[in-house]
Amino acid sequence: MGTMTQQPSLAPRAAQPPPPQGQLEEQGQRKDGGKREDRGKQKGQGKREERGKREGRGQRAQPRAARRGPALATLATAQFLVVLSTSIVNVALPSIGSGLRLSPAALSWVVNAYVLAFGALLLVGGRLGDVWGSRRVFTAGTAVFALASLAAGFAPSAPLLIAARAVQGVGAALLAPAALALLLGAFPPGPGRGRALGIWGAVSGAGGAVGVLLSGLLTELYGWPAVFLVQVPVAVLCLVATLLVVPAGKPAGGAVDALGAVVSTVALTALVYALTAKNLIAGAVGLLLLAVFAARQAKARTPLVPPRLLRTGRVTAANVAMTLLGAVYVGLFSFLPLYQQQVLHYGPLAAGLTQLPLALAVVTGSVLAPRLPARAGAPTALAALTAGLAWLSVGPDHGPFAAGSFAVHLLGPSLLIGAGLGIAFVRLTALSTDGVPAADSGLAGGLLNTTRQLGGALGLALMTAVAPAAADYRTAFLTAAVLAALTTTTALFALTGRKH
C-alpha cells in the first residue's frame, strides 16, 4: 500500500476551550500594566521635555564647553573694567584737582561718587538680574557705563564730573552682579568653576594695579580726561561680545523691593558722608536707616536680602570679610599713588610703573588660589597682606627714594600685598557662593559686590579722615593693616564655624 499524503482540512477548526478564569485575569493585568507603563513612560518623557523647554527657554542655561571660554573672557573683561574704573583715576587726581580747582575733600568725591553709587545699588542690580534676566541687566548696565564714561571724559566742571562718576557707578551696579551670576551659570560646581573664579579674581585684583599704571601713562601723555575716555571702547566691545557669546538664560520673575532700595541707598550715603565730613548726625541717621532696612527685609514679600540667603552656607561671614577686604583694597589703591607723588615726588608715569610688581603679584596669587588648600589659603593670604601693609607703613615720610631703597620700602611690601589680595579675593568669592542655589546666584553676586564696594567707600572715607591727622600717609597704611588683621580673624571664623 502506498503512503497517502494527508491534506489539510477545509472544515472550520473546532473552537478552543476558553482559558481558565485566573489566566484571563493574568492576561488582562499584563495588558493593563503594559498600558500603564507606556502611559507612565510617555508622561515622564513629556515632563522631561516640558522641563527642558522651561529651563532652556530662549537659550540654554549653560553654554557648551566650546562657548564657555569666550563667555568667560567677556565677563572677566567687564569685571576688570568695573574695578579699573575705581583705580584709574587715582594717579590723575592731582591733575583733576588742579584742572578743576577742587579741594582735597571735594576731590575725594571723584572716587567716592562712583564707589558709593556702585555699592549702594548693587543689591538692586543683583535682584534685577534675577527678576529680568542676568544678560538683559548686564547689557543695560554696560551701555549706561559706556555713556557715563564718555560724559566724564568731556565734563567741563567738577559737579558734572562727579555726577558722571555717580552714573558710572549705577551702570557698574547693574553689570557687576549680573556678570558673576552669568559666570556661575556657565560653570557648574567643580574644578571648572574653581578655575573660572581664579581668572575672575585675577582680573578683579589686577584691575586696581593696572588702573594705576594706565592712569599714570594716560595722564602724562594725554591729560586726565583720557582716563575716562579709554573705558568707552572697552565697554562697547564687552556689550557686543555679550550679545554674541553669552547665553541669555531664563529670568526667575518676581518683583523688586523699591522701598528697601531707597532706604538702603540713603543709609549708605549718609554713612559715607558722615565719615568724609566727620558729621555725627549723618552717621546716626545712617545707622538708624540701616536698622529700618534690616527690619524691612524681615517682613518684605520680595526682600533685597532674603534672610534665607544669609543662612546659606557661609554667606554671612564671607561677606563680612569681603567688606573689610574692600576697605583695604580701595584705601590702598587710593593712597599709595598719592603717597608716591606727594611724599616721594614720583611723576605720574613713574608712580604707575612702580605698580607693575603689585599687579603681577595679584595675578599670580589669583591663578594659584584654586590650587591652595581651601582652609589654609585665605587666612595665610590675609596674614601676608597684613604684614605687607604694616611693612609699607614704616617707610620714609619724605622722598625721593634712594636707588637701593625702592626694593626695601616698595617692592617687598608690594609683593606681599599683591599675593595676599589675589588669593584672598578668589577664596572669599568661592566661600560666599558655596551652597547658594542657582535661583539666588544673581542676588549672592549682588550681595558680595555690595559688601566689597561698601567696604571700599567706608574704608576710603575712614582713611581720608585719619591721613590728614598725620604728617604723612603712613597712618592710612597702618589703618589698612589693622583692617586686614580683622579680615584674617573673620576668615578664620568663617572656615572653622559651622556651615548652615
Side-chain angles (χ1 to χ4, degrees):
M1 285 178 60
T3 305
M4 296 180 63
T5 304
Q6 184 178 4
Q7 298 294 329
S9 174
L10 297 179
R13 181 177 298 177
Q16 298 292 328
Q21 182 66 27
Q23 186 175 350
L24 280 173
E25 293 177 357
E26 183 179 354
Q27 290 175 357
Q29 290 174 358
R30 285 200 300 267
K31 290 179 181 179
D32 291 342
K35 291 179 180 179
R36 285 196 299 270
E37 184 178 356
D38 291 340
R39 287 196 298 268
K41 289 180 179 178
Q42 293 172 0
K43 187 176 180 181
Q45 183 177 1
K47 287 184 177 179
R48 287 193 296 271
E49 290 175 356
E50 183 181 354
R51 189 183 306 117
K53 290 178 181 178
R54 286 199 308 267
E55 293 175 351
R57 185 183 300 173
Q59 295 189 24
R60 284 180 296 271
Q62 293 182 359
R64 294 190 301 268
R67 299 182 62 189
R68 287 177 183 165
L72 174 60
T74 301
L75 298 173
T77 302
Q79 177 67 10
F80 175 83
L81 187 62
V82 167
V83 179
L84 180 79
S85 189
T86 306
S87 63
I88 198 170
V89 301
N90 292 337
V91 175
L93 284 176
S95 299
I96 295 173
S98 60
L100 299 179
R101 298 179 181 179
L102 288 172
S103 66
L107 192 61
S108 68
W109 279 98
V110 176
V111 177
N112 264 343
Y114 174 82
V115 174
L116 180 59
F118 188 11
L121 295 174
L122 271 165
L123 288 176
V124 181
R127 178 62 182 162
L128 288 176
D130 290 334
V131 172
W132 292 345
S134 294
R135 195 180 75 165
R136 184 180 300 171
V137 173
F138 178 85
T139 53
T142 306
V144 171
F145 186 92
L147 292 174
S149 301
L150 188 65
F154 289 105
S157 63
L160 290 178
L161 174 61
I162 293 174
R165 287 286 285 167
V167 177
Q168 254 192 326
V170 173
L174 294 175
L175 74 90
L180 184 56
L182 289 169
L183 177 74
L184 295 176
F187 292 87
R193 176 178 286 187
R195 288 190 293 269
L197 287 176
I199 296 173
W200 182 267
V203 298
S204 298
V210 173
V212 174
L213 173 61
L214 284 178
S215 182
L217 181 63
L218 294 172
T219 303
E220 186 95 1
L221 296 177
Y222 305 108
W224 65 263
V227 303
F228 301 110
L229 296 177
V230 74
Q231 302 174 58
V232 177
V234 181
V236 172
L237 180 63
C238 288
L239 182 61
V240 174
T242 300
L243 297 175
L244 294 176
V245 302
V246 178
K250 175 182 176 294
V256 178
D257 180 18
L259 179 60
V262 172
V263 172
S264 65
T265 302
V266 176
L268 297 177
T269 304
L271 285 176
V272 174
Y273 176 77
L275 287 172
T276 304
K278 300 179 181 178
N279 190 313
L280 294 179
I281 296 178
V285 171
L287 292 175
L288 177 62
L289 288 176
L290 278 183
V292 172
F293 174 72
R296 167 75 182 175
Q297 297 310 287
K299 298 179 180 179
R301 295 181 60 185
T302 56
L304 291 177
V305 186
R308 71 172 187 279
L309 182 63
L310 300 178
R311 295 191 295 266
T312 302
R314 297 186 174 94
V315 170
T316 299
N319 277 274
V320 171
M322 188 61 82
T323 303
L324 295 169
L325 188 61
V328 172
Y329 179 83
V330 174
L332 171 69
F333 285 111
S334 297
F335 279 91
L336 184 56
L338 295 176
Y339 172 67
Q340 291 173 305
Q341 293 180 86
Q342 296 180 359
V343 175
L344 304 179
H345 305 300
Y346 284 12
L349 182 58
L353 288 174
T354 54
Q355 300 289 323
L356 272 178
L358 179 58
L360 292 175
V362 170
V363 172
T364 303
S366 300
V367 172
L368 293 177
R371 299 178 174 87
L372 298 176
R375 287 185 173 273
T380 303
L382 290 168
L385 173 62
T386 304
L389 289 167
W391 186 355
L392 189 62
S393 70
V394 298
D397 56 1
H398 60 278
F401 275 147
S405 62
F406 168 76
V408 175
H409 295 297
L410 268 184
L411 180 60
S414 294
L415 295 177
L416 279 177
I417 291 170
L421 281 174
I423 297 171
F425 272 129
V426 174
R427 300 309 311 175
L428 289 179
T429 299
L431 196 65
S432 66
T433 56
D434 182 27
V436 174
D440 291 332
S441 60
L443 192 57
L447 180 61
L448 180 68
N449 281 287
T450 297
T451 54
R452 176 176 170 176
Q453 296 303 321
L454 171 61
L458 295 177
L460 179 59
L462 175 63
M463 294 181 198
T464 302
V466 302
D472 49 47
Y473 291 96
R474 292 186 297 179
T475 303
F477 298 140
L478 186 59
T479 303
V482 173
L483 292 175
L486 292 175
T487 312
T488 308
T489 305
T490 306
L492 285 170
F493 173 79
L495 290 167
T496 56
R498 182 177 64 86
K499 181 179 179 181
H500 292 288

